[in-house]
Amino acid sequence: QVQLVESGGGLVRPGDSLRLSCAASGRAFSSYGMAWFRQAPGKDREFVSAISWNGDSTYTADSVKGRFTISRDNAKSTVYLQMLSLKPEDTAIYYCVGKESVAISRSPTWYDYWGRGTQVTVTS
């Protein structure tokens, strides 16, 4: 039904910025709640940020609050994650996820659709 493709990851230095993009193809993207999760080496998946179908509601994890901002452009069927002041502990594979719902969630099992991820590496 829906395919999600992440892009924008890369290798950066501490303090640098990146903007991740998630391009969606399929039906009714504007009806989907979307989120970003990440998984660092040797760790479980961690919630990063979520945004409701119309952008009216967002939630961002405390670990990245104030540095990361989620947004979406339904006309382009794209979700973004703007990441500022990156730290080495932000190093992870970042996944874009979605669910056809008016709601959003911090739980990874709530989402139906997952991208394959994009690697973010922050090192000095």
Side-chain angles (χ1 to χ4, degrees):
Q1 291 181 305
V2 174
Q3 295 80 47
L4 305 175
V5 180
E6 304 94 334
S7 63
L11 176 66
V12 298
R13 304 299 186 188
D16 285 352
S17 300
L18 283 173
R19 187 185 70 170
L20 305 184
S21 297
C22 173
S25 62
R27 64 186 71 179
F29 170 78
S30 61
S31 299
Y32 281 70
M34 304 293 294
W36 291 92
F37 288 79
R38 67 185 184 184
Q39 187 166 25
K43 296 185 178 180
D44 294 331
R45 282 178 297 184
E46 177 188 16
F47 172 78
V48 177
S49 191
I51 186 167
S52 62
W53 70 279
N54 60 1
D56 286 349
S57 299
T58 63
Y59 183 78
T60 302
D62 290 342
S63 59
V64 301
K65 190 175 297 182
R67 298 187 298 119
F68 291 11
T69 302
I70 192 170
S71 62
R72 68 190 296 162
D73 186 340
N74 286 348
K76 296 181 178 180
S77 297
T78 302
V79 178
Y80 304 96
L81 185 68
Q82 180 68 57
M83 306 186 295
L84 307 179
S85 302
L86 284 161
K87 304 175 180 180
E89 51 263 45
D90 295 319
T91 295
I93 301 173
Y94 284 72
Y95 297 93
C96 176
V97 303
K99 181 182 177 70
E100 188 171 10
S101 175
V102 297
I104 51 176
S105 175
R106 296 190 297 270
S107 173
T109 61
W110 189 80
Y111 294 91
D112 296 314
Y113 300 98
W114 287 70
R116 286 190 165 89
T118 185
Q119 177 71 49
V120 172
T121 302
V122 186
T123 181
S124 61

